[in-house]
Amino acid sequence: MEAKEILKAHVARFASLTDEQFEYFFSFFKRQGFKKGQVIISEGDAVNCEYFVISGCLKSFYVNDNLKMFILQFAMPTWWASDYNALYNDTKATISVDCITDTEVLSLTNDHRERLCAELHEAEHFFRWRTNRGYVAAQKRLLSFMNSNVKCRYEELLRLYPELYNIVPKNLIAAYLGVSRETLSRLYQA
Amino acid sequence: MEAKEILKAHVARFASLTDEQFEYFFSFFKRQGFKKGQVIISEGDAVNCEYFVISGCLKSFYVNDNLKMFILQFAMPTWWASDYNALYNDTKATISVDCITDTEVLSLTNDHRERLCAELHEAEHFFRWRTNRGYVAAQKRLLSFMNSNVKCRYEELLRLYPELYNIVPKNLIAAYLGVSRETLSRLYQA
DNA sequence: GTCCAATAGTGATCCAGGTCACACAACTAC
DNA sequence: GTAGTTGTGTGACCTGGATCACTATTGGAC
């Protein structure tokens, strides 16, 4: 499926745009390709864009003072990724984004999104619902952190996103679950 | 300050409504008062409303199978609370909301919010930004869970919301931080 | 006033998961 | 080919926080 079609189907889940409106909506996006390992947003950067994944897989992550990495999100096709704190508040990135595999995205600048939202009520409706769902998902993840042990969280992750198992190395899965790779490796020992 | 003024000042942070528009916006809200300990949303309920706090303090929380409670959020004046998963997806509540102190709120039904958003573009803009900020806050909390130990998280909480220290009992603070009350109590021991 | 429930502090013990160290594939790069 | 880099498993040991048990305090409700 073509990038435009993928975005169109995604937008249609939350908003009703006419074909003409969608053409306008789509005109603000820019298609970009990145290689495995390529860094899209690096800590300290100015952040202008958010990214809608067409194919491949991104990760957004934070690295603390001890160089330990924590993964906020894996972004598979039809997911969005950026440092939203930096993007919304026009500050330097504290979250980085890079490519786990070769990845195609549609990028949208902050200014373009706001212009779209201002000009097209239905676009604002779409972005409201996109974030609503992200907010609910973040709360669920927070609860699973407080409530569940590693094994439960790992099994839940694989249940929800089985495709990750084949694409994402175990050390990154561990960084997403917030445990050491050794602990993850030992889960199904003997 | 009157409830209407508090909401008006809050909305003005993210959206520009004329006085007339705000009157219309406000007409969808219903003022309600609750007593300390009173339950507003209980697990298993149908959820119709979200609540904007005027005075007092609410908590939203999840109770697991072992009857252990985890607090998702304290809601102080100008904060919003509900079971957003249930509210947005029209499912039964898994999150409960009750009153830590006597509390006044302005309640808004899901239908009324959607009607407001559909009829008034600027209302949709407001609710988009409100959730954007909630999403960013939820991600920050997730990172502090993965990255920081209890002591750091506790000190960060008190730094950001010092008023909680006097209003909220320690066992509830512990349930927010995701640790036992004993561990919280021992943080500043000898 | 007297009770009872809610809130807090603290000792003793246990365990999930962290840290360090080493082994060994598998995969580039040259 | 050979060498360096990634990803993965596993043993040994350590530690932060949980759990259980008991003791004060405080503050309504009556």
Side-chain angles (χ1 to χ4, degrees):
Chain A
M1 192 155 46
E2 196 40 51
K4 190 197 272 194
E5 297 307 310
I6 293 173
L7 181 61
K8 190 169 186 174
H10 173 69
V11 169
R13 293 175 58 204
F14 306 119
S16 311
L17 270 67
T18 65
D19 286 352
E20 194 182 3
Q21 285 175 329
F22 178 75
E23 288 300 323
Y24 185 65
F25 185 89
F26 183 69
S27 72
F28 284 84
F29 286 80
K30 183 176 146 201
R31 187 159 188 168
Q32 291 183 276
F34 297 102
K35 288 286 169 197
K36 176 175 173 175
Q38 201 172 343
V39 176
I40 300 180
I41 297 173
S42 186
E43 196 200 322
D45 286 359
V47 181
N48 302 310
C49 289
E50 57 187 311
Y51 302 91
F52 176 76
V53 178
I54 297 298
S55 69
C57 184
L58 306 177
K59 68 174 191 281
S60 64
F61 60 101
Y62 170 76
V63 179
N64 75 3
D65 298 341
N66 303 323
L67 301 182
K68 195 166 159 181
M69 180 182 67
F70 302 95
I71 293 180
L72 269 171
Q73 197 200 334
F74 297 113
M76 307 283 289
T78 79
W79 295 34
W80 298 76
S82 188
D83 178 346
Y84 282 103
N85 185 39
L87 189 69
Y88 290 149
N89 299 312
D90 195 24
T91 56
K92 298 293 180 190
T94 56
I95 304 296
S96 304
V97 176
D98 69 12
C99 300
I100 293 178
T101 64
D102 292 357
T103 303
E104 285 178 291
V105 303
L106 293 171
S107 68
L108 177 66
T109 68
N110 201 53
D111 290 348
H112 279 164
R113 174 175 25 71
E114 289 308 305
R115 216 177 114 191
L116 263 175
C117 284
E119 291 180 1
L120 198 59
H121 188 160
E122 199 64 13
E124 186 129 44
H125 184 76
F126 165 74
F127 282 109
R128 177 167 69 92
W129 274 100
R130 182 200 61 169
T131 309
N132 278 353
R133 293 176 63 93
Y135 177 69
V136 166
Q139 283 212 333
K140 278 191 182 168
R141 185 157 170 224
L142 205 47
L143 271 184
S144 95
F145 248 94
M146 296 199 274
N147 188 25
S148 310
N149 62 18
V150 186
K151 194 162 182 172
C152 291
R153 298 210 301 281
Y154 182 53
E155 283 168 1
E156 194 183 354
L157 179 68
L158 292 186
R159 194 164 41 74
L160 289 176
Y161 313 108
E163 63 274 32
L164 289 177
Y165 190 84
N166 298 313
I167 296 174
V168 179
K170 296 271 168 67
N171 57 346
L172 296 185
I173 301 271
Y176 178 89
L177 296 174
V179 296
S180 66
R181 56 166 202 86
E182 292 95 331
T183 298
L184 184 63
S185 166
R186 266 188 267 263
L187 280 183
Y188 294 94
Q189 194 177 1
Chain B
M1 191 154 50
E2 196 39 52
K4 191 197 274 192
E5 297 306 312
I6 293 174
L7 181 62
K8 190 168 186 176
H10 173 70
V11 169
R13 293 174 59 204
F14 306 119
S16 311
L17 270 67
T18 65
D19 286 352
E20 194 182 2
Q21 285 174 329
F22 178 74
E23 288 300 321
Y24 184 66
F25 185 89
F26 184 68
S27 71
F28 285 84
F29 286 81
K30 183 176 147 200
R31 188 160 187 166
Q32 290 182 278
F34 296 102
K35 288 287 169 196
K36 176 176 175 175
Q38 201 172 342
V39 176
I40 300 179
I41 297 174
S42 186
E43 196 201 321
D45 285 358
V47 181
N48 301 311
C49 288
E50 56 187 313
Y51 301 91
F52 175 75
V53 177
I54 297 297
S55 68
C57 185
L58 305 177
K59 69 173 189 282
S60 64
F61 60 101
Y62 171 76
V63 179
N64 75 5
D65 297 341
N66 303 323
L67 300 182
K68 196 165 159 181
M69 179 182 67
F70 302 94
I71 294 181
L72 269 172
Q73 195 200 338
F74 297 114
M76 308 284 288
T78 78
W79 296 33
W80 298 77
S82 188
D83 177 345
Y84 282 103
N85 186 39
L87 189 68
Y88 291 150
N89 298 313
D90 195 24
T91 56
K92 298 293 180 190
T94 56
I95 304 296
S96 304
V97 175
D98 70 13
C99 299
I100 293 178
T101 65
D102 291 358
T103 303
E104 285 178 291
V105 302
L106 292 171
S107 68
L108 177 65
T109 67
N110 201 52
D111 290 348
H112 279 163
R113 174 177 22 75
E114 289 307 306
R115 218 178 112 191
L116 264 174
C117 284
E119 293 180 0
L120 198 59
H121 188 159
E122 200 62 15
E124 186 129 45
H125 183 76
F126 165 74
F127 281 108
R128 177 168 68 93
W129 275 100
R130 184 200 60 169
T131 308
N132 279 352
R133 292 176 63 92
Y135 177 69
V136 166
Q139 283 211 333
K140 279 190 182 170
R141 187 158 169 224
L142 205 47
L143 271 185
S144 95
F145 247 93
M146 294 201 273
N147 188 25
S148 310
N149 63 17
V150 187
K151 194 163 183 173
C152 290
R153 297 210 302 279
Y154 182 53
E155 285 168 0
E156 193 183 356
L157 180 67
L158 292 185
R159 195 165 41 73
L160 289 175
Y161 313 107
E163 64 273 32
L164 289 177
Y165 189 83
N166 299 311
I167 296 173
V168 179
K170 296 273 168 66
N171 57 347
L172 296 185
I173 301 271
Y176 178 89
L177 296 174
V179 296
S180 67
R181 56 166 204 86
E182 292 95 330
T183 296
L184 184 63
S185 166
R186 267 188 268 262
L187 281 184
Y188 294 95
Q189 193 177 1

